Amino acid sequence: MRGIWLLLLLSLAGNAWAMDLPEADSEAARLFAARCSACHALPHPKRLDWPHWRHMLRVMKRRIEERGVDMEGAEWRQIAAYLRRHAR
Ligand code: HEC
C-alpha cells in the first residue's frame, strides 16, 4: 500500500501541472506539456530565451521525425508561439 502512494507522489511530482506552467489551463500549455515530455522531462519555458528556443525547436522537430512521429504544423505553431510568449 505504501508503495502505491509513493508511486502516485512521484508521478505527480514529475507532472506538468506540478511545474507551474504559464497559462496552465490553455490549449497551448497542454500541447507543450504533452508533446515535449514524451522523450525527456518537460523543460520549463523560462529555461531558454526565444532565439535558443527557436533553434531547439528545429532540433526537436528532427528528433521527433526520426522517431517516425508526424506532428501537425498547427501544433508546432502553437507550441512555438507559446514558448515565444514565455521564454526567458
Ligand atoms: C522524439 C523524442 C523527443 C521529443 C518528443 C522532444 N525531444 Fe527534446 N530532446 C530529445 C533528445 C534526444 C535530446 C538530447 C539532445 C539531442 O539529441 O538533440 C533533447 C534535448 C532537449 C533540450 C536540451 C536539453 C536540456 O535539458 O536543456 C531541450 C530544451 C528540449 N529537448 C526541448 C524540447 C521541446 C520544447 C520539445 C517539444 C517540442 C521536445 N524537446 C520534444 C528528444 C525529444
Side-chain angles (χ1 to χ4, degrees), residues 3-23:
I4 290 174
W5 284 112
L6 187 62
L7 266 179
L8 186 68
L9 256 177
L10 284 174
S11 70
L12 285 177
N15 213 303
W17 27 266
M19 193 176 178
D20 216 10
L21 279 182
E23 297 175 41

Side-chain angles (χ1 to χ4, degrees), residues 35-36 39-40 43 47 53 56 59-60 63-64 67 76:
R35 295 303 192 171
C36 304
C39 303
H40 45 64
R47 166 99 61 99
W53 273 127
M56 209 59 222
V59 179
M60 289 305 115
R63 294 283 171 271
I64 291 170
R67 288 246 180 144
W76 271 110

